[in-house]
């Protein structure tokens, strides 16, 4: 197994899995042998058979063998998934991400190496194959990959502390920004209130000025109106007096005409 780069422990794990796979294969082959033996015992009791009878027996045997082989393939695939699950679960505890290369599963050279290992190095009765406990992957030792993992963990912890410090700084900056925002909002509200008060005072003063102006104009109007009324009264009195004078003059003229008429008659005579 030196070509695979395994250490002794991992080599033992591979051997244990191959023992498990071999036992499953032996059980499934025994079942297939039973299918053929049952056919011999139950159907091959006569000396001669027709073609149809032979075809029927072979079809039935094909169904049984196909079912057994298919079940074995499915179980093998599921078993491999469970094995990968164990490997991945243990790798995740050390913050590792394992990768697989599916193309390597059909590498003929590697498959031949595995077959050669099974023929030469796989010894069921050897000391390293006598493990009775449930196969488990042992923790990594203190050197090599373990040291790299510790460094990676330390780096991640350091990054985590840096992120925590950065988070606290951001939180502090955010709180400061919120305080500044609150202060700015309060200042804006105070400014708006001051502007409203100033505008209200200006409007009040303007209204008072307008009221004073209107009052003054109203007073002038009333004064002018009173003066016009007095003037109209004087004009009316003067008009009445002029009418009286006109009537008086008309009467005097009429009287003068009457007095002048007899004197003219005497002159003519």
């Amino acid at each position: 197994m030196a070509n695979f780069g395994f250490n002794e422990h991992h080599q033992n794990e591979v051997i244990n899995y191959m023992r498990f796979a071999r036992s499953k294969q032996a059980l499934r082959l025994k079942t297939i042998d039973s299918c053929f033996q049952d056919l011999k015992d139950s159907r091959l009791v006569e000396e001669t058979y027709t073609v149809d009878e032979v075809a029927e027996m072979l079809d039935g045997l094909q169904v049984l063998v196909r079912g057994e082989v298919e079940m074995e393939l499915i179980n093998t695939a599921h078993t491999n998934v469970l094995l990968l699950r164990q490997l991945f679960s243990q790798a995740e505890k050390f913050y590792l991400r394992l990768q697989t290369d599916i193309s390597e599963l059909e590498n003929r050279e590697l498959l031949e190496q595995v077959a050669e290992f099974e023929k030469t190095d796989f010894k069921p009765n050897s000391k390293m194959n006598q493990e009775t406990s449930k196969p488990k992957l042992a923790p990594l030792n203190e050197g090599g990959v373990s040291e790299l993992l510790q460094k990676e963990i330390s780096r991640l912890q350091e990054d985590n502390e840096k992120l925590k410090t950065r988070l606290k700084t951001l939180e502090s900056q955010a709180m400061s920004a919120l305080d500044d925002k609150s202060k700015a909002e309060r200042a804006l509200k105070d400014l708006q209130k001051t502007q409203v008060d100033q505008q209200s005072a200006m409007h009040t003063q303007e209204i008072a000025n307008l009221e004073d102006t209107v009052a003054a104009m109203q007073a002038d109007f009333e004064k002018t109106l009173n003066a016009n009324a007095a003037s109209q009264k004087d004009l009316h009195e003067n008009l009445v007096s002029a009418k009286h004078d006109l009537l008086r003059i008309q009467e005097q003229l009429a009287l003068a005409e009457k007095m002048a008429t007899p004197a003219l008659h005497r002159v003519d005579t």
Side-chain angles (χ1 to χ4, degrees), residues 36-89:
F36 283 90
Q37 189 63 42
D38 291 341
L39 177 64
K40 293 177 182 180
D41 296 338
S42 61
R43 300 295 301 273
L44 299 181
V45 294
E46 299 179 4
E47 295 182 356
T48 59
Y49 291 92
T50 63
V51 175
D52 292 338
E53 290 174 341
V54 173
E56 180 185 357
M57 288 187 290
L58 291 177
D59 290 340
L61 180 61
Q62 179 185 6
V63 172
L64 293 175
V65 174
R66 179 184 177 86
E68 292 295 332
V69 173
E70 182 179 9
M71 185 178 298
E72 175 62 19
L73 293 174
I74 293 174
N75 289 335
T76 300
H78 292 175
T79 302
N80 290 334
V81 171
L82 294 179
L83 180 62
L84 291 173
R85 177 178 177 273
Q86 294 182 29
L87 296 174
F88 292 157
S89 297

Side-chain angles (χ1 to χ4, degrees), residues 114-154:
V114 174
E116 185 65 23
F117 166 75
E118 187 175 10
K119 292 178 182 179
T120 58
D121 297 340
F122 180 53
K123 300 176 181 179
N125 295 325
S126 63
K127 181 179 179 180
M128 59 185 172
N129 293 324
Q130 299 301 321
E131 300 180 7
T132 57
S133 61
K134 181 179 179 181
K136 294 182 179 179
L137 292 178
L140 297 173
N141 53 30
E142 295 298 327
V145 179
S146 178
E147 184 177 356
L148 294 177
L149 287 175
Q150 291 298 331
K151 290 182 179 179
E152 182 66 16
I153 292 173
S154 299

Side-chain angles (χ1 to χ4, degrees), residues 102-239:
I102 303 300
S103 63
E104 290 293 327
L105 300 179
E106 296 182 351
N107 189 317
R108 299 306 305 175
E109 182 180 354
L110 294 178
L111 290 174
E112 290 175 0
Q113 292 179 12
V114 174
E116 185 65 23
F117 166 75
E118 187 175 10
K119 292 178 182 179
T120 58
D121 297 340
F122 180 53
K123 300 176 181 179
N125 295 325
S126 63
K127 181 179 179 180
M128 59 185 172
N129 293 324
Q130 299 301 321
E131 300 180 7
T132 57
S133 61
K134 181 179 179 181
K136 294 182 179 179
L137 292 178
L140 297 173
N141 53 30
E142 295 298 327
V145 179
S146 178
E147 184 177 356
L148 294 177
L149 287 175
Q150 291 298 331
K151 290 182 179 179
E152 182 66 16
I153 292 173
S154 299
R155 186 186 66 80
L156 292 175
Q157 290 177 346
E158 183 179 355
D159 291 343
N160 190 28
E161 292 298 326
K162 291 180 180 180
L163 289 176
K164 288 182 179 179
T165 303
R166 178 60 177 168
L167 180 60
K168 290 181 180 179
T169 303
L170 292 176
E171 289 178 350
S172 177
Q173 292 177 353
M175 294 299 297
S176 177
L178 290 176
D179 292 339
D180 293 340
K181 180 181 178 182
S182 299
K183 292 178 180 179
E185 290 178 349
R186 288 195 297 268
L188 179 61
K189 289 181 179 179
D190 294 339
L191 179 60
Q192 291 176 345
K193 183 178 180 181
T194 302
Q195 290 178 348
V196 170
D197 294 340
Q198 292 177 351
Q199 291 177 355
S200 178
M202 291 176 61
H203 290 165
T204 302
Q205 184 63 34
E206 290 177 356
I207 292 173
N209 293 336
L210 290 175
E211 289 178 348
D212 293 340
T213 301
V214 171
M217 292 177 64
Q218 186 174 2
D220 291 340
F221 177 75
E222 290 179 353
K223 183 177 180 180
T224 302
L225 183 62
N226 293 331
N228 291 334
S231 298
Q232 289 178 356
K233 183 178 180 181
D234 292 340
L235 290 174
H236 180 69
E237 290 178 352
N238 292 332
L239 180 61

Side-chain angles (χ1 to χ4, degrees), residues 239-254:
L239 180 61
V240 172
S241 177
K243 286 182 177 181
H244 288 310
D245 292 339
L246 178 61
L247 292 174
R248 183 172 55 78
I249 291 171
Q250 288 177 349
E251 289 178 355
Q252 290 176 357
L253 289 174

